[in-house]
Amino acid sequence: MDAQQSSSPGSLSWRLSSHPITLLFFLGFRISSLLVYLFGMLFTENLVMIFIITILLLAADFYYLKNIAGRRLVGLRWWNEVDPSSGDSHWVFESSDPSVKTINATDSRFFWLAMYAQPLLWIALAVLALIRLKFIWLPLVAIALALTITNTLAFSRCDKFSQASNMAGSALYGGNLAGSIASNMAGRLFSFGRS
């Protein structure tokens, strides 16, 4: 019975992932920056080295999540474009077509859990640094928060955009309520012309 529950779709077992290597690298980058920040002082007294390694891991996590893990695990991707003539920037969201790619429930659960947990952990570490009066760590925590919150907000918006696009597409092209309303209105328009 326990074996059936642990292998049910959507459970937190990396073995059920459609992309286990992508998932393991995603989780590795997410966890490694926290581990270096928390336990780096056990291995070296050099604050600068811990700062640099943590920043590099955060940058790798940001890049890997934004360009690879998000696309492969949940079918979402985002980027920022700047209009050269006006200088205005806007976010562009991309999602995979649900009729072409189905999202694995395990991948999605791992993705969103890690996506929302990491900023919360960095906020807790910021509060801890303030309480312990370790102000030297606050710039690093601020950079970590900026990177993780940016990805979290962007992927959350991308997911909402994807859901709205999928609903609109299925309503217009799926022959649902909107399609039947449009055909009835067109039918009434043409029947009024005949009488």
Side-chain angles (χ1 to χ4, degrees):
M1 179 92 176
D2 289 332
Q4 288 177 343
Q5 285 180 343
S6 66
S7 64
S8 65
S11 64
L12 289 176
S13 172
W14 66 270
R15 293 183 179 141
L16 296 174
S17 173
S18 296
H19 306 285
I21 294 173
T22 303
L23 181 62
L24 290 176
F25 271 96
F26 165 65
L27 293 174
F29 282 130
R30 295 245 103 175
I31 294 168
S32 62
S33 60
L34 286 165
L35 291 177
V36 169
Y37 175 81
L38 289 172
F39 301 115
M41 292 301 285
L42 295 175
F43 301 105
T44 181
E45 295 293 323
N46 190 346
L47 295 173
V48 175
M49 183 178 306
I50 294 170
F51 191 94
I52 291 171
I53 291 171
T54 305
I55 292 292
L56 290 173
L57 289 169
L58 285 166
D61 172 54
F62 184 85
Y63 175 83
Y64 189 78
L65 172 59
K66 183 177 151 328
N67 294 310
I68 298 168
R71 184 176 47 84
R72 295 199 71 198
L73 297 177
V74 291
L76 300 173
R77 199 168 147 221
W78 67 272
W79 63 91
N80 192 346
E81 288 184 352
V82 177
D83 184 14
S85 60
S86 66
D88 294 335
S89 70
H90 63 281
W91 288 12
V92 179
F93 303 115
E94 180 180 271
S95 62
S96 63
D97 187 8
S99 64
V100 175
K101 179 180 177 160
T102 57
I103 304 303
N104 182 327
T106 299
D107 290 340
S108 180
R109 180 172 278 171
F110 268 116
F111 181 85
W112 292 111
L113 182 65
M115 182 65 66
Y116 290 113
Q118 192 174 25
L120 294 176
L121 290 171
W122 282 111
I123 289 171
L125 290 172
V127 170
L128 188 62
L130 286 171
I131 290 172
R132 294 178 59 203
L133 302 175
K134 301 279 185 176
F135 300 119
I136 195 161
W137 293 106
L138 288 178
L140 177 60
V141 174
I143 293 168
L145 281 171
L147 291 172
T148 57
I149 288 174
T150 299
N151 254 338
T152 302
L153 288 175
F155 275 107
S156 296
R157 287 183 183 176
C158 190
D159 186 46
K160 288 181 180 156
F161 172 77
S162 169
Q163 290 173 1
S165 295
N166 292 338
M167 285 193 305
S170 65
L172 291 175
Y173 301 113
N176 292 356
L177 181 63
S180 64
I181 290 173
S183 65
N184 285 339
M185 288 179 66
R188 286 185 184 172
L189 179 66
F190 290 118
S191 68
F192 285 135
R194 291 185 194 152
S195 37

